[in-house]
Amino acid sequence: MFLCQACHARISTPTAQLGLPELQLGLIPGFGGTQRLPRLVGISKALEMMLTSKPVKGEEAHDLGLVDAIVSPDQLVSTARKWVLDILERRRPWVASLHKTDKLEPLGEAREILKFARAQVRKQAPNLKHPLVCIDVVEEGIASGGRSGLWKEAESFQGLLQSDTCKSLVHVFFAQRGTSKVPGVTDRGLMPRRVTKVAVIGGGLMGSGIATALILSGYPVILKEVNDKFLQAGIGRVRANLQSRVKKGKMTQEKFEKTVSLLKGVLDYENFRDVDMVIEAVIEKVSLKQQIFADLEKYCPQHCILASNTSTIDLNLIGEKTKSHDRIIGAHFFSPAHVMPLLEIVRTNQTSPQAIVDLLEVGKRIKKTPVVVGNCTGFAVNRVFFPYTQAALLLVERGADVYQIDRVISKFGMPMGPFRLVDLVGFGVAIATGTQFVVNFPERTYKSMLIPLMQEDGRAGNNLLLGL
Ligand SMILES: NC(=O)c1ccc[n+]([C@@H]2O[C@H](COP(=O)([O-])OP(=O)(O)OC[C@H]3O[C@@H](n4cnc5c(N)ncnc54)[C@H](O)[C@@H]3O)[C@@H](O)[C@H]2O)c1
């Protein structure tokens, strides 16, 4: 993008993606990107594109003035050649994008736009410096000219390159790409098998979110509950998840109806005879999960993947009453499951590489970032997360205020504090998962009674489905 912005014209295909995604890496666009984009599309749009790191498609880029002509891929090179000759021979204007000013908003208006952008950035990411640096650099170019902006851009870029934010975000970038390569699994040439129907057991907070994520990506889903009341409540939650997309204008009513029609509610296992994957999301109780997996083995076809959304329980324990250890796997989603991108795929020593490859593919199709981890109490995320929650509980029992702890943590940069989170997750789940740690690591867990006492007092948190 930098290079083509510095050219005299740009030709694109209708679907090419054009953007400056550097802020995602803790940097600002270099090589004049911060200076030329505002001059090509205006300050507002340029800031939006840079600050959100979101690309635009060729067609939109054409409407914005970033691209001068749209052609089909097979016409791209020949059209570009013709434009080069036209520009060279002055049949088309010789435009130096760094000196263009016609798209720049007048200085007064520009300052208002920059002020608004700064306020937005401070609100959305108060701990991040580089978006503000980006706005400063854009401002320099507007106030003192493109060349001056280029100097400031180069200097700021060098500074940011050394920042911890940049190093961490670059690490995240490569780590996210690395998640799809699992040695001994994805390098065996295995092809993911077709998954045409998925069953979800439990229509509570997690089950309804998982079912939503699946139907949103076109998977027909059977949702099983214990009785009609809970089933209707579960289906209601899925509908509400989709309805909120309609309200936000992200989904048409027609698409809503089509998506909902992929969901079928059931109360028994009769419809499980042709499912390719089951994701169990009932409460965190070992005996209940063991019984469910024993039942699944009886009703589901031999090839069916048997996944659990358990937060903490050792999968070997869940599968103890079955002979299907090679197809038992963890599919650990995070709440709200239809929104949060992480999917922890838990494999035991016996889980087959094929089952992992299949779940990786489903994860990708439902637009998650699947991360394959080993099996143990708490897996990777909760194993890290639990000591953090415990430390917060310890502080409260030593006299600290819950709201103060949450405030400090939010200020540090977490989206919310540990107590707000436990409220959202639901005390039933928090207690059940906490118990797993206390039972499995008694010598290094702190047993707090705070949450159990609150629940006993009827203060249940936001997820009111607990204990069902
Ligand atoms: N709440 C979270 O943030 C979170 C996050 C990740 C994972 N998890 C895990 O997901 C699982 C479910 O948690 P939740 O928060 O959705 O619980 P929940 O209490 O909201 O929902 C559980 C649902 O399972 C249903 N159920 C119970 N037995 C059933 C059976 N035999 N057949 C069908 N349905 C049955 C209940 O009726 C209830 O609706 C737990 O293992 C939990 O550890 C929860």
Side-chain angles (χ1 to χ4, degrees):
M1 254 284 276
F2 310 120
L3 190 63
C4 79
Q5 282 189 103
C7 293
H8 299 298
R10 284 147 294 279
I11 319 286
S12 168
T13 60
T15 53
Q17 304 235 357
L18 297 118
L20 294 175
E22 289 70 13
L23 266 83
Q24 256 179 342
L25 301 178
L27 291 167
I28 57 170
F31 301 107
T34 60
Q35 303 305 307
R36 293 190 175 94
L37 192 60
R39 287 174 164 76
L40 289 166
V41 302
I43 303 167
S44 266
K45 187 67 197 178
L47 281 176
E48 181 194 315
M49 286 174 68
M50 291 189 278
L51 294 173
T52 61
S53 290
K54 279 205 186 117
V56 292
K57 288 219 173 113
E59 291 279 13
E60 189 187 347
H62 185 233
D63 295 341
L64 292 169
L66 176 58
V67 158
D68 299 270
I70 293 285
V71 294
S72 59
D74 57 330
Q75 302 277 301
L76 204 53
V77 176
S78 57
T79 313
R81 275 201 189 108
K82 194 165 171 307
W83 272 67
V84 168
L85 290 175
D86 285 351
I87 293 169
L88 197 68
E89 289 161 13
R90 306 281 165 161
R91 286 189 293 275
R92 286 188 189 272
W94 182 287
V95 182
S97 51
L98 191 63
H99 303 297
K100 248 171 82 73
T101 52
D102 57 310
K103 279 285 178 81
L104 289 181
E105 290 84 347
L107 198 58
E109 198 183 317
R111 288 217 193 279
E112 282 306 307
I113 295 169
L114 293 163
K115 194 170 141 196
F116 179 73
R118 280 194 183 97
Q120 288 287 99
V121 162
R122 285 201 183 100
K123 207 164 93 191
Q124 278 161 11
N127 294 327
L128 290 182
K129 304 251 175 321
H130 66 286
L132 292 172
V133 172
C134 180
I135 300 171
D136 291 348
V137 170
V138 170
E139 184 168 36
E140 175 70 18
I142 294 159
S144 313
R147 281 199 161 273
S148 181
L150 284 185
W151 282 113
K152 190 167 168 99
E153 179 196 89
E155 202 182 305
S156 306
F157 187 93
Q158 280 306 322
L160 291 171
L161 204 53
Q162 306 305 323
S163 69
D164 286 346
T165 305
C166 172
K167 286 178 192 157
S168 307
L169 288 173
V170 168
H171 174 80
V172 169
F173 179 83
F174 286 114
Q176 272 179 342
R177 272 148 193 79
T179 58
S180 56
K181 295 182 189 73
V182 186
V185 175
T186 54
D187 50 9
R188 289 175 170 227
L190 292 168
M191 292 306 286
R193 291 172 297 180
R194 258 177 85 88
V195 172
T196 46
K197 190 171 167 190
V198 186
V200 175
I201 307 184
L205 178 74
M206 294 308 289
S208 56
I210 297 167
T212 308
L214 288 162
I215 57 175
L216 269 172
S217 294
Y219 285 108
V221 171
I222 314 176
L223 183 66
K224 180 186 177 296
E225 258 293 348
V226 280
N227 60 36
D228 195 52
K229 186 174 159 217
F230 290 153
L231 181 60
Q232 293 316 321
I235 293 175
R237 272 186 286 279
V238 177
R239 292 181 76 94
N241 290 340
L242 297 175
Q243 242 346 310
S244 94
R245 296 177 81 86
V246 176
K247 267 196 212 127
K248 286 180 194 149
K250 287 186 188 164
M251 182 182 254
T252 61
Q253 190 61 33
E254 195 191 342
K255 181 87 204 296
F256 169 87
E257 301 296 347
K258 223 175 133 193
T259 310
V260 163
S261 73
L262 291 170
L263 183 72
K264 184 176 172 196
V266 298
L267 295 174
D268 57 32
Y269 290 114
E270 279 313 315
N271 284 279
F272 280 52
R273 298 195 187 274
D274 63 345
V275 293
D276 304 303
M277 181 176 288
V278 178
I279 303 176
E280 166 275 314
V282 304
I283 49 166
E284 195 79 335
K285 198 167 157 200
V286 177
S287 57
L288 176 61
K289 291 191 193 265
Q290 283 181 336
Q291 180 57 49
I292 287 175
F293 274 71
D295 289 341
L296 289 176
E297 196 177 40
K298 276 188 233 141
Y299 287 92
C300 300
Q302 279 286 320
H303 73 274
C304 178
I305 292 161
L306 309 179
S308 172
N309 181 51
T310 174
S311 315
T312 43
I313 307 172
D314 185 325
L315 288 162
N316 288 324
L317 207 55
I318 290 179
E320 210 173 67
K321 299 199 168 142
T322 75
K323 291 190 184 64
S324 299
H325 298 278
D326 59 333
R327 53 189 175 122
I328 292 181
I329 191 164
H332 185 205
F333 292 78
F334 294 81
S335 177
H338 58 297
V339 178
M340 298 300 278
L342 180 59
L343 170 62
E344 209 175 27
I345 296 183
V346 189
R347 61 163 158 180
T348 68
N349 289 338
Q350 296 166 75
T351 308
S352 74
Q354 184 64 58
I356 302 171
V357 168
D358 295 348
L359 188 51
L360 275 168
E361 179 63 21
V362 172
K364 219 163 50 187
R365 218 178 114 189
I366 61 174
K367 301 184 188 72
K368 301 291 173 200
T369 305
V371 180
V372 178
V373 299
N375 176 43
C376 62
T377 302
F379 319 124
V381 172
N382 281 326
R383 191 80 180 252
V384 173
F385 183 68
F386 195 69
Y388 159 81
T389 320
Q390 274 205 322
L393 289 166
L394 186 74
L395 285 175
V396 174
E397 291 186 14
R398 295 292 178 277
D401 174 49
V402 287
Y403 295 100
Q404 189 190 12
I405 295 173
D406 271 14
R407 265 200 307 277
V408 170
I409 293 285
S410 306
K411 210 164 157 216
F412 174 73
M414 303 289 263
M416 65 182 76
F419 294 104
R420 175 82 191 100
L421 187 69
V422 90
D423 215 30
L424 278 183
V425 164
F427 290 179
V429 171
I431 294 166
T433 52
T435 307
Q436 288 300 318
F437 284 95
V438 175
V439 170
N440 286 283
F441 312 113
E443 73 292 357
R444 51 192 156 110
T445 36
Y446 174 70
K447 194 166 176 234
S448 166
M449 289 310 291
L450 183 70
I451 307 291
L453 282 173
M454 298 238 332
Q455 197 190 21
E456 221 179 279
D457 195 36
R459 293 191 254 174
N462 266 25
N463 182 8
L464 294 172
L465 301 154
L466 10 135
L468 298 175

